[in-house]
Amino acid sequence: MKIMVIVAHPNLGASRANQILKTEISKESNIFIRDLYQEYPNWKIDIEKEQKLLLEYDRIVFQFPFYWYSCPPLLKKWFDDVLQFGWAFGPEGDNLKGKEFILATTTGGTEHAYRAGGRDWFSISELFKPIQATIMRCNGTFLPSFITYNADRGSDEYLLDQAEKYKKHISESLEELVR
Ligand SMILES: Cc1cc2nc3c(=O)[nH]c(=O)nc-3n(C[C@H](O)[C@H](O)[C@H](O)COP(=O)(O)O)c2cc1C
C-alpha cells in the first residue's frame, strides 16, 4: 500500500510532538512524507501537483497539531484549493473514490477533557465532523483517526510510544482499523 503523509505544522522546527511522530514514520520506506508549510511558504498551492500526487497514493494521512478545535489554516486552504468541483466531487469528480484517509492530530487537551461535560466539551470524533464530511463528499473512505492527547505535557517516553502506535495505525489494513 502506498501511503502519503501530509504534515501541516506552522512551525515544525519548534514542534516536539509532531516532530517525534514524523521522525518515527520516516523509517518506513513505503511512506512518503511531506511538510506542507515548508513546501508552500507563500501559500500558493500547486493544485495540479497535489491532484497528481493524490492519484498516486492509496492512503492519505493528514498530520497536524489541533488548533482551535480544527486544523491549521494552510491545511484548510489545501482542502479548499485541491478538492475541486468536477475533480474531487460533483459530476465526474470521482478521482478520490475509494481512497483511504486518516487524520492524525496532537492536542494540548487530555483525553479526559475531550468528552461531554469535560473541559473541552466534545470528543475529537465530534470535532472532526467537518473534515470527515469533506472526505465523504469526495467519496473517500474516512478511517479512524490517530490522536495524541496531552502533547505539550507528555513525556518523551509517552510521545515515543505514541509514535510507535502511530506508525502501526497508519500502516494497518482497513479491516483491522474499522473493527
Ligand atoms: C494557535 C493554537 C491553537 C491551539 N488550539 C488548541 C485546541 O483547540 N485544542 C487543544 O487541545 N490544543 C490546542 N493547542 C495546543 C496544540 O495542539 C499543541 O501545542 C500541539 O498539538 C503540540 O504539538 P507540537 O509539539 O507538535 O507543536 C493550540 C495551540 C496553538 C498554538
Side-chain angles (χ1 to χ4, degrees), residues 29-171:
S29 59
N30 67 323
I31 302 179
F32 173 48
I33 307 172
R34 302 171 55 210
D35 176 347
L36 208 58
Y37 275 88
Q38 189 190 55
E39 231 169 291
Y40 297 115
N42 59 7
W43 290 42
K44 279 203 181 339
I45 293 173
D46 183 341
I47 297 168
E48 223 175 285
K49 174 180 139 186
E50 294 299 325
Q51 292 181 341
K52 203 162 154 271
L53 280 168
L54 285 170
L55 294 179
E56 279 178 38
Y57 288 85
D58 310 305
R59 178 175 285 179
I60 296 96
V61 179
F62 299 107
Q63 180 193 320
F64 54 90
F66 211 36
Y67 276 11
W68 284 114
Y69 302 103
S70 187
C71 64
L74 186 57
L75 181 55
K76 174 62 165 65
K77 187 173 192 295
W78 186 96
F79 292 133
D80 296 352
D81 290 1
V82 178
L83 304 180
Q84 288 185 330
F85 177 79
W87 190 86
F89 71 104
E92 288 166 51
D94 58 358
N95 286 289
L96 299 179
K97 199 172 184 170
K99 299 236 178 244
E100 297 171 4
F101 292 86
I102 293 177
L103 303 181
T105 200
T106 58
T107 71
T110 62
E111 185 167 8
H112 210 56
Y114 278 102
R115 56 181 180 148
R119 197 170 179 275
D120 288 295
W121 311 287
F122 306 104
S123 67
I124 299 287
S125 286
E126 289 174 290
L127 296 163
F128 272 171
K129 290 287 177 259
I131 305 179
Q132 179 178 358
T134 301
I135 299 301
M136 290 169 75
R137 171 63 61 224
C138 297
N139 296 302
T141 302
F142 186 84
L143 292 173
S145 307
F146 184 84
I147 322 293
T148 299
Y149 294 99
N150 203 21
D152 297 321
R153 282 169 300 248
S155 65
D156 283 356
E157 286 77 12
Y158 163 69
L159 291 177
L160 285 165
D161 184 56
Q162 281 296 112
E164 191 66 40
K165 289 179 176 141
Y166 175 45
K167 192 169 72 178
K168 275 207 192 98
H169 186 101
I170 62 173
S171 302

